[in-house]
Amino acid sequence: MHVSAAPIFIDNSSDPRIEAYRDIRERDLKGRGGRFVIEGEVVLRTALQLGRFAIESILIAENRTEPLADLVAKVPAGIPVYSASRSVLDDIAGFPMHRGILAMGLRGEGGTAERLLATAPENALFVGLSAIANHDNMGGIFRNAAAFGLDGVLIDGTSCDPLYRKAIRVSAGAVLMTPFAQGGDIGTLCDALLAAGFEVLATSPAGKERLADIEPVGRQAVLFGAEGPGLPEHVLRRLRTIRIDMRGGFDSLNVATTSGIVLHHLAR
């Protein structure tokens, strides 16, 4: 097996070879086209192991290259591994890079909801997300999805990008594991799930049925909406709605926490 050569040392933050890494936070807001940023050792190891997304290059702090020699040795030939001093790395990124590990991933073609559903197993469990704008929540939901073995996540076009750097980091790399598709509105995604033979459950503090009374059976999907507004009323009216009973006057939980409870109950 051919492996990557020794890291290439970068001594100037203006070096064109690492242009894609420059001003990371600013580009997080503007987007970077077909690329996305991988940050941290755990997430990079996951990305290399799974190989689901191609990696364009890797950038590591100079003092981390020796401790990460085993990781560097597993990088396929043709993927450049760059190394820089902490000061140069911080200058490249535009902020102190405490983890000292970055990689540039390639999004690829991207899947569609129809394609994902067409390959789903008979006993599949899916999640549908509507207007999830917080990257911490997005990452937390994906982490729960991976922990409980979900077969796919469908995300509407108003939700944030699951391949955003923070969402991937919060998910502990789970965004790179669990198949997902993003686009359209939650009503259209609901139509696609129903057409594919899924029982679709909608979460709501005012849900008519208790989660505890729901049986995990056959193909199921559960929808989660943004904190506050929740799922659209037109979606709730057409589906079986479920709630988590709470005490002390509370009527809702953080959406990522809610997803963990619901998915634990429904997990196959």
Side-chain angles (χ1 to χ4, degrees), residues 145-156:
F148 298 117
L150 261 71
D151 299 287
V153 178
L154 302 184
I155 309 166
D156 74 352

Side-chain angles (χ1 to χ4, degrees), residues 50-220:
L50 295 177
R52 183 169 163 232
F53 292 93
I55 294 177
E56 186 177 55
S57 64
I58 297 170
L59 176 60
I60 301 176
E62 184 181 18
N63 66 336
R64 304 280 326 257
T65 54
E66 188 173 337
L68 293 171
D70 70 312
L71 184 152
V72 173
K74 294 174 183 175
V75 176
I79 300 176
V81 178
Y82 301 112
S83 173
S85 67
R86 282 279 179 176
S87 59
V88 171
L89 182 61
D90 292 350
D91 194 36
I92 292 168
F95 63 96
M97 281 299 307
H98 300 299
R99 291 174 178 80
I101 304 172
L102 293 169
M104 201 59 62
L106 299 176
R107 291 174 177 269
E109 190 177 316
T112 64
E114 290 73 20
R115 193 178 307 158
L116 200 57
L117 292 169
T119 58
E122 289 185 14
N123 203 34
L125 179 59
F126 268 62
V127 154
L129 303 179
S130 170
I132 304 296
N134 183 288
H135 292 99
D136 291 279
N137 285 336
M138 182 66 75
I141 291 168
F142 265 90
R143 188 166 184 168
N144 293 334
F148 298 117
L150 261 71
D151 299 287
V153 178
L154 302 184
I155 309 166
D156 74 352
T158 67
S159 293
C160 63
D161 181 8
L163 289 176
Y164 180 86
R165 177 172 54 96
K166 189 177 185 183
I168 297 174
R169 189 178 73 237
V170 170
S171 80
V175 172
L176 307 179
M177 300 177 190
T178 306
F180 70 87
Q182 183 167 19
D185 60 57
I186 193 64
T188 302
L189 296 179
C190 183
D191 290 341
L193 285 162
L194 292 169
F198 280 77
E199 175 188 43
V200 184
L201 307 170
T203 57
S204 169
K208 294 179 180 178
E209 297 181 67
R210 298 189 313 150
L211 172 65
D213 297 329
I214 304 298
E215 290 291 330
V217 58
R219 284 186 160 192
Q220 278 180 321

Side-chain angles (χ1 to χ4, degrees), residues 181-264:
Q182 183 167 19
D185 60 57
I186 193 64
T188 302
L189 296 179
C190 183
D191 290 341
L193 285 162
L194 292 169
F198 280 77
E199 175 188 43
V200 184
L201 307 170
T203 57
S204 169
K208 294 179 180 178
E209 297 181 67
R210 298 189 313 150
L211 172 65
D213 297 329
I214 304 298
E215 290 291 330
V217 58
R219 284 186 160 192
Q220 278 180 321
V222 57
L223 307 185
F224 298 95
E227 291 181 42
L231 290 165
E233 189 62 34
H234 70 87
V235 171
L236 294 173
R237 281 199 302 267
R238 64 188 293 203
L239 298 176
R240 193 176 177 188
T241 58
I242 60 173
R243 70 181 189 275
I244 299 171
D245 285 339
M246 282 167 271
R247 296 173 61 186
F250 277 88
D251 67 352
S252 66
L253 295 165
N254 166 273
V255 66
T257 301
T258 300
S259 73
I261 296 169
V262 173
L263 297 180
H264 176 265

Side-chain angles (χ1 to χ4, degrees), residues 23-33 164:
D23 300 323
I24 281 178
R25 281 181 175 163
E26 182 180 342
R27 292 188 182 185
D28 277 347
L29 298 175
K30 294 179 179 178
R32 45 178 60 84
Y164 180 86

